[in-house]
Amino acid sequence: IITNEVRSDNCFSNGNSGRFSTQAEFQYNNTTDYIWNNAYKLIANLNIIIGVDIETLSGDKNRGKHIQGQALALRAMAHYDLLRSFGQQHAATGGNLGVPIVKQFKGEEFPARNTINEVKNAIYEDLELAYSKMNSTYDTSKIFVSKFAAKAIESRVAIYFEDWTRAKDAAKIVIDSEKYSIITSGNYLSSWQSSQNANSIFELAFAGDDNRGSNSIQYIYRYPGDAPGGYGDVQVVADVISLFE
């Protein structure tokens, strides 16, 4: 949340505690522990799951295929997040480089960057295969990727790339499943106090004691002079503050 906030036109990192200045200045390099490292660690783990031959396993093979479908959807989302952060699709000077597509667990060996279109097509391929492998009867909780979450992610990716027909078709599959509905305006605020509401498709699970105290998002935002105190790392630009009474 904060990483994206400080890269926007609304906020910046003031370096109060030395946090988030690298992200605010877009000064990424091979020693920056940013989304690059985290996403490719995730992809490496997912590739182990995807590479398993389900037919060699005992037990419920359909559930095994469903789990592989979940891994494919997450691999697609990881490549998508990487491409949005490091791809040249918005470069003012042009360019067609995306990020490396990694579909096999290879240890330390790392490939060169693929083109933007190659990465986009790989994302679509993973999401289509994920949807075909998954069975909605195994969807028991929204803290796990569901069959229809794969289509929701596909629609979101397609909107980003302005593939309007694909975006519409993928969204229609989610809507037609009748598993989700738009929450009423009167219940919108209170909906944030509970989990797995009708308008939710995929959620991240947090326990009540996760990221409390000095690791909390509020501690990053609050200033040392506030009560209780904080780091005060994120500063809002004056033009934004002036929008509010």
Side-chain angles (χ1 to χ4, degrees), residues 48-114:
I48 296 173
I49 298 171
I50 295 166
V52 171
D53 182 358
I54 296 296
E55 297 306 318
T56 65
L57 304 179
S58 59
D60 188 346
K61 291 182 170 58
N62 287 328
R63 185 170 183 270
K65 292 177 182 177
H66 182 81
I67 292 171
Q68 282 187 325
Q70 291 175 314
L72 283 160
L74 289 172
R75 186 172 75 179
M77 191 161 68
H79 279 111
Y80 172 55
D81 287 341
L82 284 164
L83 183 62
R84 287 190 299 149
S85 293
F86 298 105
Q88 293 182 324
Q89 59 270 22
H90 301 301
T93 56
N96 68 344
L97 287 178
V99 294
I101 301 169
V102 180
K103 290 194 172 185
Q104 288 181 312
F105 184 80
K106 296 183 178 181
E108 295 299 321
E109 183 182 348
F110 209 78
R113 293 169 72 175
N114 292 85

Side-chain angles (χ1 to χ4, degrees), residues 83 115-125 157 161 163:
L83 183 62
T115 67
I116 295 166
N117 277 336
E118 287 171 341
V119 180
K120 180 178 74 169
N121 290 334
I123 292 168
Y124 285 150
E125 287 171 7
V157 173
F161 287 110
D163 294 332

Side-chain angles (χ1 to χ4, degrees), residues 29-44:
N29 54 48
N30 60 359
T31 62
T32 302
D33 188 19
Y34 177 51
I35 185 176
W36 181 279
N37 294 347
N38 295 326
Y40 279 114
K41 286 177 185 176
L42 170 65
I43 289 170

Side-chain angles (χ1 to χ4, degrees), residues 13 146 165 185 199 225:
S13 173
S146 67
T165 300
S185 59
N199 63 331

Side-chain angles (χ1 to χ4, degrees), residues 66 70 73 127-137 139 144-152 173-174 179-180 201:
H66 182 81
Q70 291 175 314
L127 291 169
E128 289 171 356
L129 185 56
Y131 183 77
S132 68
K133 276 181 170 285
M134 297 171 77
N135 186 326
S136 60
T137 59
D139 294 331
F144 297 101
V145 179
S146 67
K147 184 178 181 73
F148 296 103
K151 281 296 171 185
I173 290 172
V174 178
K179 291 180 176 290
Y180 316 97
I201 299 175

